Amino acid sequence: IIEMRFKKAIRINDSNMILRCLDSGYKPSTLQWIHIIGKMHVATALNCVKNSRTLESPCISSAIRRQHRALFKEVLERVDSVPKTQMESLMSVPAYYLGICLDKGLDPNIRLKNKRLPLEHACSHSRIAHIEILLKDERTTVSQNVCRFMIRQPKQQKFADRAIDLCDNIVPNMILEAVVDNVT
């Protein structure tokens, strides 16, 4: 009976009934959670997520697409870990979401579909906030190409110092390029 009431409440967007069903112990399926997080009113979704103890990892993608910071934080608190597959979508949304996922334990060196590292992708698309967050993480690997790219791009020169610190294979030519381009 509770399951039928829950399905009807989702269909007609009855937030009170949804919360009553959750309070009575009903456990929604992953698809139902994705619908609640992605389509229902933010206040209703927040109340439902706060009511649950754990969520499945596919709920993260729905929260990322929704781009509501409070809802995203609540969902992330109830998920064990962030799947590696989320890196692709995190590179196309505001950098705030990437920072929280990196704090949760997501590896910053996961290759994207185009075989690039996230830092390379952020540099080539001039995603300054993403670059800043990725360089704050000590685990980020920086290649020579990224360092050279940052040295040459005026908007990204302020990050070249940190990129050179994180780069493992610095060659003397890079330092000469930095001096010529007047990067400290």
Side-chain angles (χ1 to χ4, degrees), residues 144-154 156-157 159-161 164 173-183:
Q144 285 184 5
N145 290 339
V146 169
C147 287
R148 285 194 168 110
F149 193 80
M150 284 186 182
I151 289 170
R152 292 183 187 131
Q153 293 294 319
Q156 298 175 21
Q157 283 181 349
F159 304 115
D161 185 34
I164 290 171
N173 288 349
M174 288 171 63
I175 297 178
L176 289 173
E177 284 180 39
V179 170
V180 168
D181 286 327
N182 202 18
V183 177

Side-chain angles (χ1 to χ4, degrees), residues 32-162:
Q32 288 172 332
W33 274 119
I34 289 172
H35 177 80
I36 289 169
I37 294 168
K39 302 237 191 296
M40 299 199 80
H41 193 278
V42 174
T44 304
L46 264 170
N47 287 334
C48 291
V49 170
K50 286 178 182 177
N51 239 351
S52 72
R53 290 190 182 133
T54 59
L55 292 173
E56 300 292 320
S57 55
C59 295
I60 294 175
S61 59
S62 185
I64 290 172
R65 269 186 260 114
R66 188 71 183 260
Q67 291 191 24
H68 188 276
R69 291 180 180 206
L71 180 61
F72 180 73
K73 278 182 113 171
E74 289 293 330
V75 168
L76 210 60
E77 283 178 15
R78 284 155 178 76
V79 174
D80 294 333
S81 63
V82 181
K84 294 178 179 181
T85 55
Q86 293 301 324
M87 185 58 85
E88 195 79 35
S89 59
L90 288 169
M91 295 306 295
S92 60
V93 296
Y96 168 82
Y97 302 98
L98 175 64
I100 290 178
C101 288
L102 290 176
D103 292 343
K104 180 80 173 178
L106 182 66
D107 182 19
N109 301 314
I110 298 169
R111 295 221 178 256
L112 303 174
K113 287 179 184 172
N114 59 9
K115 306 293 184 219
R116 285 179 154 173
L117 289 172
L119 184 61
E120 294 171 354
H121 178 80
C123 286
S124 65
H125 293 340
S126 286
R127 307 282 314 244
I128 301 298
H130 285 76
I131 294 170
E132 188 174 0
I133 286 174
L134 286 166
L135 287 177
K136 282 182 185 174
D137 196 323
E138 293 290 327
R139 302 171 295 166
T140 303
T141 56
V142 180
S143 65
Q144 285 184 5
N145 290 339
V146 169
C147 287
R148 285 194 168 110
F149 193 80
M150 284 186 182
I151 289 170
R152 292 183 187 131
Q153 293 294 319
K155 288 182 179 178
Q156 298 175 21
Q157 283 181 349
K158 61 184 174 185
F159 304 115
D161 185 34
R162 176 74 175 141

